[in-house]
Amino acid sequence: MEQSLYNNDIKLKFTHNGHRYQVDTGSGWKPVQGVTTILGKVIAKDGLVNWAANLAVQAMVDGATPEEAKKAHTKKKDKGADIGSEVHTAIESHIKGEKVTTTTPEAKKALDAFYEWLTQRDVKFLESEIAVYSKKYNYCGTCDFIAEIDGRRYIGDWKTADPKKEWKNNKYTGKLRAYPEHFIQVAAYDQALTEMGHAPFDGHMIVYVTKEGKLHTFINKETQANKYAWFGALSLSRRLQELDNYGR
């Protein structure tokens, strides 16, 4: 997929196979890191480690060999990614007015939850799947949606995993929260879109559409603070890379 940005001054190319971005600013195509890649280098995902360990233990209980148990999380992750991609595609098709199809029960449940949400809120989608590039900071990404909801203009991202559970004194409180790094991800898109000429947003939104048929929305209106956090993550990621290459 190739697009022109900044009044055709810059070309952006995205390859789905490998999730790679390339940018041509007038001197040929050059690889550019994406937002999720940058954040993945500096934000630890302890929950994923525990999840993988639990899957391995359960696989052993079910009779798997040690080698099979080591790969249990990979199989589960790949299946989840396939369903997540299906849900993303279905929602994007709906927003664009195209035919919507689902092939798995999990994706259908998620899509039904999305439709139910639309009946409960005044939602007007303005744009979806927006390719972004920051000239100032040299990074790329794909923003899931820009929408006007109940009269407010938000930039947001779809997630098909469950939101974060709130724990207190080692007990689940029954409350759910967005993963903080997801707001930082959206802030990165906000920064790039601001450079591309978009007006300020009223907030950053994360919408979790789960395979169990649940939908949870979280909004953070501290957009500038989220951007500062993104700048810090970007700076840390690049300095770590410089240090890793130091002396080579």
Side-chain angles (χ1 to χ4, degrees):
M1 179 181 69
E2 184 177 319
Q3 298 186 45
S4 295
L5 307 175
Y6 294 95
N7 295 319
N8 297 322
D9 288 342
I10 292 176
K11 293 181 180 179
L12 183 150
K13 183 189 298 182
F14 176 67
T15 305
H16 285 280
N17 184 18
H19 202 85
R20 298 179 185 276
Y21 292 95
Q22 290 181 302
V23 168
D24 182 358
T25 60
S27 56
W29 291 102
K30 296 180 181 179
V32 176
Q33 283 191 321
V35 171
T36 54
T37 298
I38 293 167
L39 287 176
K41 293 179 180 294
V42 297
I43 296 180
K45 297 184 178 180
D46 297 333
L48 289 180
V49 176
N50 294 333
W51 170 75
N54 290 335
L55 285 179
V57 171
Q58 185 59 52
M60 292 287 286
V61 171
D62 293 340
T65 66
E67 284 301 314
E68 290 172 337
K70 285 167 59 178
K71 299 177 181 178
H73 72 286
T74 301
K75 292 182 178 179
K76 186 78 171 182
K77 183 178 179 181
D78 289 344
K79 181 181 179 181
D82 290 341
I83 296 172
S85 295
E86 184 178 1
V87 173
H88 268 80
T89 300
I91 291 176
E92 183 185 357
S93 295
H94 170 84
I95 293 173
K96 292 181 176 180
E98 300 171 351
K99 183 179 179 181
V100 177
T101 58
T102 56
T103 60
T104 62
E106 295 92 341
K108 186 179 184 305
K109 287 181 180 179
L111 196 60
D112 286 343
F114 169 72
Y115 288 147
E116 178 66 21
W117 176 61
L118 294 182
T119 67
Q120 298 171 353
R121 305 289 295 272
D122 181 13
V123 182
K124 179 183 179 182
F125 290 104
L126 306 177
E127 295 185 59
S128 70
E129 291 294 304
I130 314 117
V132 303
Y133 172 65
S134 167
K135 286 200 295 185
K136 186 174 181 179
Y137 297 98
N138 191 37
Y139 65 83
C140 293
T142 302
C143 171
D144 280 349
F145 68 87
I146 297 173
E148 186 178 284
I149 302 174
D150 299 332
R152 300 284 185 176
R153 189 165 159 274
Y154 299 104
I155 175 175
D157 201 71
W158 308 111
K159 301 294 182 186
T160 51
D162 293 323
K164 183 178 182 179
K165 291 183 177 180
E166 181 181 87
W167 295 82
K168 189 174 182 179
N169 298 325
N170 295 321
K171 292 183 179 180
Y172 175 42
T173 66
K175 296 180 180 180
L176 298 172
R177 295 183 178 276
Y179 284 91
E181 59 267 29
H182 292 163
F183 285 120
I184 309 307
Q185 176 186 349
V186 173
Y189 302 146
D190 186 350
Q191 171 62 34
L193 285 169
T194 297
E195 294 179 34
M196 293 166 63
H198 281 254
F201 296 97
D202 291 306
H204 298 153
M205 173 178 266
I206 310 298
V207 183
Y208 296 87
V209 194
T210 75
K211 297 180 284 291
E212 291 75 29
K214 303 292 184 180
L215 186 143
H216 310 275
T217 62
F218 300 90
I219 293 173
N220 186 281
K221 296 182 179 180
E222 299 174 332
T223 57
Q224 193 58 49
N226 292 343
K227 285 185 182 181
Y228 288 146
W230 161 247
F231 298 148
L234 179 62
S235 178
L236 176 59
S237 174
R238 289 180 173 169
R239 184 55 184 158
L240 288 174
Q241 187 65 54
E242 289 169 354
L243 291 171
D244 191 45
N245 293 331
Y246 183 75
R248 290 189 179 182

